Amino acid sequence: MKYSLLLPIGATRPEQAVPFANLVQWTSAERLWLGQGMVLESQHLVSWLSGLGIRVPTGFGVSLMPFRSPYHAAVEARSVALTTGFPVVAGFGPGAVALQRGLLGRPYTSQIGAAKEYVRIVRELLAGRTAEAEGGHFTVSATLVPALAPPVSVGLGVLRERMAVAAGEVADAAVTWMAGARYLADTLVPAMRGADRGPGAPLRVSAIVPFALAAPGRDPVALASAACGAHMRLPHYRDTLRRAGVVVRGEAGEDARALVDAGVFLYGSADEIHGALGEFAAAGVDEVVLNATGVALAHGAKAAAEDLLEMLRGVAPEAEPGAGGPE
């Protein structure tokens, strides 16, 4: 299983992302992941870093579909690959129903159907084919101007079983959020692997995992609330947690404690957290994305970077093919 890191701050100035991009350059981290930027657009932020000379593999987990057409999404994802010179994982998700209504005038008539159609269109465009869609959720008949670029994998954000099946059917990657190892092992990964998938590369699973290292003056419940509290207020996340067996009652402190007790939010020493992450590997996760957002919000970006560095120090870099060992 590979280790990556999530940009744990909502950057309002691009230079705020530099220390975290540098962690990808200097450690065994696989890639820098970014969520949906609400001030600085995440794809633009990565391009700014590239212009500064900091070019790293990136993942977007996830960009919200109502903010961009499938064509725009494909152009942006390929632009990042061209700008950085590295492969990109571009994950997408429909977002909350309220967001869809506010931006589109009405929610998607089918969350699963819209997500599958969106991913299919983006994949077709990135593959150099003409994407055709009319009468469903999107209308398009277009191709991208040809350009030689590093590969872009198109991902789908996964919270619940039906979206896991959809990812298994149409996406290159599944990106999970606030999913504990047991829920992945018992529900999500079997749904992905059991989906009706045509020939091609197997689905890759990236799990974004919130964590904090134990330290004096730190409260795991407060950190879990900082990291996940905004999501726990959304109906689809609350339903996800209930399906995973995590009892949420709408009381912030109790709900955050439930995340810690259930292993959705990981807290402890670096060794303890690495041990818990081993369960994600056993569940079938290909890449774990370390999410130190709670630490950044409660104790600052520097503390979050230190936690990430400590965790990544415990990850042995993968050997290059043919390297290592006596002749």
Side-chain angles (χ1 to χ4, degrees), residues 1 31 34 40-41 47 52 64 72 107 112 125 128 135 140 143 210 226 247 272 307 317 320:
M1 184 176 70
R31 69 182 68 246
L34 302 92
L40 284 175
E41 181 56 64
S47 294
L52 197 65
L64 299 179
H72 186 192
I112 304 296
L125 290 167
V140 63
T143 57
V247 178
E272 289 169 336
D307 273 24
E320 296 293 331

Side-chain angles (χ1 to χ4, degrees), residues 110-161:
S110 166
Q111 304 295 306
I112 304 296
K116 290 174 64 173
E117 188 175 336
Y118 192 101
V119 166
R120 181 185 65 79
I121 293 169
V122 175
R123 288 185 77 197
E124 289 287 302
L125 290 167
L126 289 169
R129 296 187 287 267
T130 299
E132 301 278 0
E134 185 174 357
H137 299 88
F138 308 97
T139 299
V140 63
S141 177
T143 57
L144 294 184
V145 174
L148 185 62
V152 177
S153 300
V154 183
L156 187 57
V158 169
L159 296 179
R160 292 171 284 192
E161 187 172 3

Side-chain angles (χ1 to χ4, degrees), residues 291-319:
N291 173 9
T293 300
V295 176
L297 289 172
H299 300 284
K302 182 174 183 291
E306 289 170 348
D307 273 24
L308 289 164
L309 178 59
E310 181 66 22
M311 286 295 299
L312 292 166
R313 280 177 175 152
V315 180
E318 295 187 1

Side-chain angles (χ1 to χ4, degrees), residues 11-279:
T12 57
R13 302 189 311 277
E15 57 267 25
Q16 292 171 321
V18 168
F20 301 98
N22 280 337
L23 279 176
V24 177
Q25 287 191 317
W26 298 339
T27 71
S28 59
E30 178 72 10
R31 69 182 68 246
L32 174 68
W33 281 80
L34 302 92
Q36 173 64 57
M38 301 305 293
V39 177
L40 284 175
E41 181 56 64
S42 296
Q43 288 81 358
H44 298 180
L45 177 55
V46 170
S47 294
W48 184 91
L49 290 168
S50 296
L52 197 65
I54 305 173
R55 298 179 174 90
V56 297
T58 51
F60 300 96
V62 295
S63 298
L64 299 179
M65 291 158 39
F67 287 168
R68 51 180 60 77
S69 71
Y71 188 90
H72 186 192
V75 170
E76 277 194 329
R78 191 180 68 174
S79 294
V80 171
L82 286 164
T83 302
T84 62
F86 285 101
V88 171
V89 180
F92 301 98
V97 169
L99 175 75
Q100 297 165 25
R101 185 180 293 111
L103 294 178
L104 306 175
R106 61 179 182 177
Y108 297 121
T109 54
S110 166
Q111 304 295 306
I112 304 296
K116 290 174 64 173
E117 188 175 336
Y118 192 101
V119 166
R120 181 185 65 79
I121 293 169
V122 175
R123 288 185 77 197
E124 289 287 302
L125 290 167
L126 289 169
R129 296 187 287 267
T130 299
E132 301 278 0
E134 185 174 357
H137 299 88
F138 308 97
T139 299
V140 63
S141 177
T143 57
L144 294 184
V145 174
L148 185 62
V152 177
S153 300
V154 183
L156 187 57
V158 169
L159 296 179
R160 292 171 284 192
E161 187 172 3
R162 289 182 61 213
M163 197 66 86
V165 173
E169 292 173 346
V170 303
D172 300 310
V175 184
T176 70
W177 181 276
M178 283 172 57
R182 181 176 298 178
Y183 182 49
L184 279 158
D186 294 346
T187 302
L188 295 185
V189 173
M192 296 171 195
R193 304 303 187 206
D196 183 12
R197 187 175 183 85
L203 182 78
R204 297 189 301 278
V205 182
S206 297
I208 298 177
V209 182
F211 84 99
L213 292 179
R218 289 189 174 185
D219 177 358
V221 174
L223 289 165
S225 182
C228 307
H231 290 88
M232 285 192 294
R233 290 191 289 270
L234 298 173
H236 54 304
Y237 277 95
R238 298 181 67 78
D239 182 62
T240 297
L241 291 169
R242 292 189 185 98
R243 290 169 186 260
V246 182
V247 178
V248 288
R249 297 187 174 90
E251 298 181 13
E254 289 189 11
D255 291 351
R257 185 175 297 280
L259 295 187
V260 177
D261 292 344
V264 174
F265 182 90
L266 302 181
Y267 184 80
S269 68
D271 286 343
E272 289 169 336
I273 293 175
H274 277 300
L277 291 174
E279 298 179 19

